[in-house]
Amino acid sequence: MNILHMKYALEVARMGSLGKASENLLIAVPNISRSIKELESDLGITIFERTRKGMNLTPEGEEFINFAKGILSQIEQVEKFYKEGAPDKQKFSISVPRACYISDAFSEFSKSLENEPLEIFYKETNSQRTIHNMVNHDYKLGIIRYAENYDKYFKAMLDEKDICYELLTEFSYSLIMSRENPLAKKSEITFEDLKGYIEIAHADPYVPSMPLSKVVKEELPENIERRIFIFERASQFDLLEKNPETFMWVSPVPQSLLDKYGLVQKKCVQNKKIYKDVLIYKKGYKLTVLDRRFIEEVSKAKKIIYD
């Protein structure tokens, strides 16, 4: 089906006359007439009834003209889109650890977005998938988390993949649990105290160039015999709130979130292990306005919680 023939038919239907359509289109009447006959032949229908007074649409013709109007309107939109240029759309993409201060920063960041076309991708995952998303799925920013003693492994891999890295913060994990948990009333908590309770844990630790079994043994020690493994943060708070036998190791959590779920945050006197949150992006990548705005919000959230 010829689009040009469709345009001719639409103009003839609008004007009700081959002659008037010819004047508007600057096309000879015989050419328009021949085009419409070819169109009718291709479709196997009669679009116009030819009379002495002009060209009248048949019932099939009316149906066809309605289709033609929609098709030609879409074609005009496509032509306009590409000839005039698509509107600039801001894009922001980041993969991050499951951390409350980063989630809070993202919420504040979202409130600053202007009323302009944009696409935002925010994914919570482990360090391996964060790096994978950057290398293979064109995520522009990432935040990875790892224990300080694994620093050389991560930096070697990032250097190899031409990824820049900047330290955001260092911290030791805290414990969070329900206010109804018996441990919540203790002034000091030890590793021994945690035995018999249920640990909520994320099930995907990762360190480059190290066997997963060794990483799991260090990150998930064997003194805890009961664990519930999860992959996102929402369910962890429900579990902690509703089951007073549960606890979880976390980076520091905002007080507002603890109050929301009826939780307390405690230190373990024996826990001296230091973790790092590190911002990463590809070498040569120029940070956008949205990137810088998000990083500013992360810095603010970190300062409120960690300082």
Side-chain angles (χ1 to χ4, degrees), residues 235-249:
S235 59
Q236 77 189 32
F237 292 112
D238 289 334
L239 285 166
L240 291 163
E241 177 189 20
K242 295 177 181 179
N243 187 345
E245 287 193 42
T246 60
F247 72 92
M248 190 170 190
W249 292 103

Side-chain angles (χ1 to χ4, degrees), residues 184-200:
K185 299 175 176 61
K186 292 180 68 71
S187 57
E188 288 189 351
I189 297 177
T190 65
F191 291 140
E192 186 67 23
D193 292 328
L194 300 174
K195 286 184 177 180
Y197 289 91
I198 302 171
E199 180 181 0
I200 309 299

Side-chain angles (χ1 to χ4, degrees), residues 225-240:
E225 296 180 345
R226 295 194 293 169
R227 283 193 176 94
I228 297 176
F229 291 101
I230 60 172
F231 290 86
E232 40 71 42
R233 287 184 311 110
S235 59
Q236 77 189 32
F237 292 112
D238 289 334
L239 285 166
L240 291 163

Side-chain angles (χ1 to χ4, degrees), residues 34-47:
R34 183 169 58 254
S35 296
I36 290 174
K37 287 180 181 178
E38 288 179 7
L39 185 59
E40 290 177 323
S41 176
D42 289 340
L43 295 173
I45 63 172
T46 300
I47 300 174

Side-chain angles (χ1 to χ4, degrees), residues 101 143-146 148 151 155 158 164-171 274-281 295 298-299 302:
Y101 83 95
I143 298 175
I144 59 174
R145 172 173 292 179
Y146 57 83
E148 185 181 44
D151 197 55
K155 286 182 177 178
L158 295 172
C164 298
Y165 45 88
E166 300 176 16
L167 179 66
L168 285 176
T169 190
E170 294 180 332
F171 61 93
I274 302 297
Y275 284 81
K276 293 185 174 187
D277 280 354
V278 177
L279 175 72
I280 62 172
Y281 51 90
I295 293 169
V298 170
S299 297
K302 177 196 69 174

Side-chain angles (χ1 to χ4, degrees), residues 96-97 99-107 122 143 145 277 294 298 301:
V96 300
C100 295
Y101 83 95
I102 299 175
S103 177
D104 273 11
F106 181 70
S107 298
Y122 180 85
I143 298 175
R145 172 173 292 179
D277 280 354
F294 175 77
V298 170

Side-chain angles (χ1 to χ4, degrees), residues 47-97:
I47 300 174
F48 293 102
E49 181 184 358
R50 282 88 172 157
T51 70
R52 290 182 180 180
K53 294 182 179 180
M55 304 283 281
N56 297 328
L57 286 169
T58 66
E60 289 177 318
E62 290 181 1
E63 187 177 52
F64 167 76
I65 290 299
N66 285 333
F67 278 123
K69 285 178 180 178
I71 292 168
L72 293 174
S73 174
Q74 288 184 319
I75 290 172
E76 288 176 6
Q77 290 177 33
V78 171
E79 289 176 342
K80 183 178 180 181
F81 183 88
Y82 287 104
K83 286 180 180 178
E84 297 181 4
D88 290 336
K89 183 179 288 187
Q90 297 186 79
K91 294 188 177 184
F92 174 84
S93 55
I94 190 167
S95 293
V96 300

